[in-house]
Amino acid sequence: MASSCRNRLFSGLLFLCFGFLGFITSPAEAAIKKYQFDVQVKNVSRLCHAKPIVTINGRFPGPTIYVREGDRVLINVTNHAQYNMSIHWHGLKQYRNGWADGPAYVTQCPIQTGSSYTYDFNVTGQRGTLWWHAHILWLRATVYGAIVILPKQGTPFPFPRPYREAEIILGEWWNGNVEEFVNKANNLGLPPNSSDAHTINGKPGPLFPCSEKHTFAMEVEQGKTYLLRIINAALNDELFFGIAVTT
């Protein structure tokens, strides 16, 4: 009788113990964000030169990924280009999840032409601005985009909420084929050619030829607060960003 009672008591305590652990370790159910990335070659014109470039979903720069802290993210990448491809989620912490990090031949085999791969990762303990880019060859000259991590639902910004926000992605543009430049430089043991222009959101600006319509512009209102999410996607250059105030 005493033995039976002790067994029942032990079972009850065990149930309470595991129930309590389950209660304190089960997080609120997070959202699952899904994206489709199609690696495509598209003809793009800059600086009076048109050339085919590798893009995601035909966009240059590529699409922005919007998530919240705690979300699970599924990004299916389908490669329609002639190059092997992999995508790196720059700055995103991959806890015990290195196979979703993206560096080709380091954490994964590259995605071959005609194949797909789904990156599956959680956004844990991070918020703010990161970015993604190709992580094979020099394809990240045109294959890149922003990652915006918002606070958890119901968690405010650590500053007054801005009136509006925008991504500012600094990059480079080459009139020629970047992969040919890199291959030639490797064969000669020299650094590759410098870019022909720097860009903001893929646009060189009005000081370059044939660029009147390829200029990033953002309208603002006096007295309003704006959040600029600034990313340096240039391959070899350290770039400095400033805003000139005119009256």
Side-chain angles (χ1 to χ4, degrees), residues 22 27 36 49 67 93 96-97 110 134 180 188 197 209 221-222 225:
Q36 174 63 39
H49 290 78
V67 298
K93 297 176 181 177
R96 300 180 184 177
N97 197 38
E180 291 180 1
L188 296 175
E221 296 181 32
Q222 185 175 3
T225 301

Side-chain angles (χ1 to χ4, degrees), residues 64 85 142 198:
T64 298
M85 176 60 68
T142 57
H198 291 109

Side-chain angles (χ1 to χ4, degrees), residues 39 79 81-86 104-105 110-113 136-137 139:
V39 183
N79 187 7
Q82 71 270 33
Y83 301 102
N84 289 342
M85 176 60 68
S86 72
Y105 303 110
I111 307 166
Q112 297 182 351
T113 303
I136 185 171
L137 307 173
L139 295 179

